[in-house]
Amino acid sequence: MQASVGDRVVIHGRIVGAAERAGEVIEVRGSGESPLLVVRFDDGHEAILSPGSDCEVRHAS
């Protein structure tokens, strides 16, 4: 999964009724098959994210 600074990340809920979380990639750590993304979520908190199957990257245009 390729992501760049400025891309949007959407994490889909894993169970019925769980809300989606969305945020902006502010840093990419590592490279290759398993990068770590530093994401600032829309509610203001930041986290280091290892993208999984429930994660969608929407590239900035």
Side-chain angles (χ1 to χ4, degrees):
M1 175 177 300
Q2 296 285 14
S4 302
V5 174
D7 289 349
R8 297 282 299 166
V9 173
V10 178
I11 301 175
H12 302 286
R14 294 184 187 184
I15 59 174
V16 174
E20 291 185 339
R21 295 183 296 155
E24 179 182 355
V25 176
I26 58 173
E27 182 182 348
V28 178
R29 296 182 182 176
S31 62
E33 296 292 321
S34 56
L36 295 175
L37 308 176
V38 180
V39 177
R40 181 177 297 125
F41 288 96
D42 293 343
D43 65 2
H45 83 274
E46 294 180 6
I48 297 175
L49 174 68
S50 177
S53 61
D54 58 345
C55 181
E56 176 185 352
V57 174
R58 297 181 181 165
H59 299 289
S61 34

